[in-house]
Amino acid sequence: MSWQQRIDSALEQRRTNDSFRIRQVNEQGSGRYLVQNEIRYLNFSSNDYLGMSHHAEVIQAWQQGAEIYGVGSGGSGHVTGYHQAHQHCEQQLADWLGYPRALLFISGFAANQALIAALTEKSDRIIADKLSHASLLEAAMHSPAQLRRFAHNDVQSLQTLLAQPGDGQQLVITEGVFSMDGDAAPLAEIARASRDAGALLMVDDAHGIGVVGREGRGSCDQQQIKPDLLVVTFGKAFGISGAAVLCSESLADYLLQFARHLIYSTAMPPAQACALTAALQVIRRDDARRRQLQANIAHFRAGAEKLPLKLMASQTAIQPVIVGENQAAVNLASTLRERGFWLTAIRPPTVPPGTARLRVTLTASHTREDIDLLLEALYDATR
Ligand SMILES: *Cc1c(COP(=O)(O)O)cnc(C)c1O
């Protein structure tokens, strides 16, 4: 098969099973509203859980940072790209989360790839929750270590895998809140099982950080554990982008030697680090945003449970409505779109076959009325 034939056939396959992905251009899209072709939609697809993407203090911090440092970092952090703004942000993050060190990464995807690649050797085993994010599973598959997946949130299944002896080390991977189902991991039990087996524990809290825990410290604070490696990302509740890894002194020094995504990549713009620090201050002090989000989640659940909808057992901002077939999910999304709601249909391979869904994400920017309007539209579209 030639290159062109291979590419055409892969595209054709995606088209025939209704899983062809496209991007759409928005005039606006991170907050409560999404504007496309001059039409304004209520946005129930954004990960901007706390409505931080348009926060005046954060915007101002980014602008001031750009005036001080310029718009780019100028290089890898290992050469000249590590500025005071990065160091200050890392210190604030480490203080907040109670770790000796924090290291900034350009994205959560990069952080997960870097950590898994830097840590694992051929004789090791990575034991990851079956529903772990693509950035984790993909890195694990590319690593020289063996990947074993435990049944979703099933500590017994994890323990069974941990008990199988091997020559190397074991790395346990899970998430605070799962991105497609919105459910939380039993972190305390997972931490205990990992510790008992002498395994290293890595928790990716992309969807929990900022949203739950005291001062928004996330799922690990909420469940009172401290994993060896905590990955937090800033594209969701922080409303920006980027990520940080929280860990011990020695692990941080180790990553600075061996994490190739840090060494061979331009450091994030220092102005972005200024914005992250400003967002962190707001997130710590502004409990009202978290309360508003929790109230919105409760309001959606109470209303949706009265409708003939297939919901999941999620108590978080991620509220999937399971539809089943790909085309049916796409049709439901487009019916809702005609009525002014922006929701994304999530299809395999992102989720298991036969579980195509609408992924409703709630934020602190939504009002009760926004949610009531969505529930009415869902009722009309599915009855
Ligand atoms: C979004 C997400 C990531 C990727 O983070 P980015 O900063 O967007 O690259 C990683 N892990 C999980 C669980 C996520 O939901």
Side-chain angles (χ1 to χ4, degrees):
M1 214 191 267
S2 72
W3 272 109
Q4 196 57 51
Q5 284 166 329
R6 190 197 295 182
I7 289 162
D8 290 343
S9 123
L11 290 175
E12 187 50 34
Q13 202 180 342
R14 278 287 164 97
R15 286 199 182 90
T16 50
N17 64 14
D18 295 325
S19 60
F20 193 76
R21 298 164 192 253
I22 53 162
R23 298 182 304 172
Q24 288 162 322
V25 189
N26 303 321
E27 286 111 66
Q28 207 187 95
S30 54
R32 178 180 173 201
Y33 295 110
L34 183 146
V35 181
Q36 194 174 92
N37 296 326
E38 295 173 22
I39 302 170
R40 194 180 78 169
Y41 301 86
L42 267 173
N43 184 4
F44 285 99
S45 276
S46 163
N47 292 324
D48 184 17
Y49 299 128
L50 299 177
M52 293 296 296
S53 68
H54 289 75
H55 197 287
E57 274 176 49
V58 180
I59 293 170
Q60 196 187 25
W62 196 315
Q63 288 169 334
Q64 286 175 349
E67 273 161 32
I68 297 167
Y69 296 99
V71 290
S73 66
S76 157
H78 285 62
V79 185
T80 56
Y82 187 62
H83 298 263
Q84 271 177 343
H86 299 107
Q87 185 188 40
H88 182 59
C89 182
E90 288 180 345
Q91 279 166 353
Q92 297 293 310
L93 288 165
D95 283 353
W96 178 46
L97 295 169
Y99 279 81
R101 296 278 287 277
L103 297 177
L104 286 173
F105 283 77
I106 205 74
S107 73
F109 199 99
N112 287 339
Q113 302 281 308
L115 255 56
I116 290 171
L119 284 167
T120 54
E121 296 176 0
K122 196 167 188 300
S123 55
D124 298 337
R125 291 206 306 166
I126 299 169
I127 307 179
D129 187 288
K130 207 167 171 23
L131 295 191
S132 295
H133 191 261
S135 58
L136 295 162
L137 291 179
E138 184 159 299
M141 281 188 287
H142 288 152
S143 90
Q146 187 192 14
L147 168 63
R148 302 297 304 274
R149 303 197 297 171
F150 63 94
H152 178 52
N153 282 347
D154 184 337
V155 181
Q156 203 119 51
S157 165
L158 168 64
Q159 280 169 325
T160 306
L161 290 175
L162 282 169
Q164 294 166 6
D167 300 334
Q169 302 298 322
Q170 295 180 314
L171 172 66
V172 173
I173 299 178
T174 190
E175 296 180 18
V177 173
F178 284 84
S179 50
M180 291 303 141
D181 288 9
D183 54 348
L187 290 176
E189 292 167 65
I190 288 173
R192 204 174 310 121
S194 305
R195 196 188 49 224
D196 291 349
L200 206 69
L201 175 61
M202 169 175 173
V203 175
D204 174 347
D205 201 23
H207 297 276
I209 197 69
V211 177
V212 295
R214 295 162 305 153
E215 295 186 1
R217 289 185 181 93
S219 309
C220 293
D221 178 77
Q222 190 182 38
Q223 298 194 44
Q224 306 208 335
I225 67 151
K226 210 172 237 184
D228 303 292
L229 294 155
L230 170 60
V231 177
V232 298
T233 73
F234 306 127
K236 282 127 190 173
F238 274 67
I240 307 175
S241 78
V245 176
L246 287 295
C247 60
S248 68
E249 291 284 353
S250 58
L251 264 170
D253 286 341
Y254 179 88
L255 291 170
L256 287 174
Q257 314 310 309
F258 301 110
R260 303 170 74 80
H261 295 67
L262 281 181
I263 302 165
Y264 299 107
S265 183
T266 303
M268 79 166 52
Q272 184 180 341
C274 296
L276 288 171
T277 304
L280 173 56
Q281 277 160 11
V282 176
I283 284 171
R284 289 189 73 159
R285 71 163 190 257
D286 194 353
D287 228 9
R289 284 171 192 268
R290 277 182 287 278
R291 282 199 303 272
Q292 180 65 51
L293 175 60
Q294 291 310 322
N296 286 349
I297 295 167
H299 190 61
F300 176 82
R301 290 275 323 175
E305 274 163 8
K306 292 188 201 126
L307 303 180
L309 297 177
K310 192 162 174 225
L311 300 174
M312 301 205 63
S314 162
Q315 303 301 316
T316 68
I318 303 164
Q319 291 291 332
V321 175
I322 304 293
V323 180
E325 291 314 309
N326 290 357
Q327 194 55 50
V330 174
N331 291 346
L332 180 55
S334 78
T335 305
L336 291 169
R337 197 153 299 173
E338 282 158 23
R339 290 191 50 171
F341 300 92
W342 198 276
L343 287 127
T344 319
I346 310 270
R347 292 165 285 173
T350 308
V351 293
T355 71
R357 63 195 67 184
L358 280 188
R359 184 164 170 276
V360 178
T361 52
L362 300 161
T363 75
S365 318
H366 293 126
T367 65
R368 264 177 99 86
E369 291 69 40
D370 295 343
I371 294 165
D372 288 336
L373 288 170
L374 173 65
L375 288 166
E376 261 173 54
L378 274 170
Y379 175 70
D380 292 342
T382 54
R383 95 200 136 112

